[in-house]
Amino acid sequence: DYMSPEQILGVEDIDKRTDVYALAAVTFELLTGRPPYLGANNFEVLYGHKNTPPPDASQLVKGISKHVAEVIIRGLSK
């Protein structure tokens, strides 16, 4: 499950940025084989989405270009 930081906070005025965030999260998982934020429970995963800097996919998987990783990082930015 992917929730943007705005959704986690319960912001009512959610816009297209939430869709960009979700697309970046799904792309990250497609390229790396794991979600962008890991945790022992849902709280830890949500905390990651809200508070942890976006992970660098190029550091996890050889062959992912730095340019692609930067696009994903931008999409996952808070």
Side-chain angles (χ1 to χ4, degrees), residues 5 20-21 24-25 28 36-37 49 54-55 71-78:
V20 171
Y21 188 89
F28 181 94
Y37 300 102
H49 281 285
V71 170
I72 294 170
I73 289 169
R74 250 180 118 180
L76 290 173
S77 65
K78 305 333 181 213

Side-chain angles (χ1 to χ4, degrees), residues 23-44:
L23 178 61
V26 169
T27 302
F28 181 94
E29 185 165 0
L30 287 170
L31 292 175
T32 66
R34 58 154 257 206
Y37 300 102
L38 303 172
N41 54 53
N42 287 340
F43 177 78
E44 288 180 6

Side-chain angles (χ1 to χ4, degrees), residues 59-78:
Q59 296 293 315
L60 295 173
V61 176
K62 230 177 208 180
I64 296 177
S65 77
K66 194 67 175 161
H67 296 293
V68 170
E70 288 172 5
V71 170
I72 294 170
I73 289 169
R74 250 180 118 180
L76 290 173
S77 65
K78 305 333 181 213

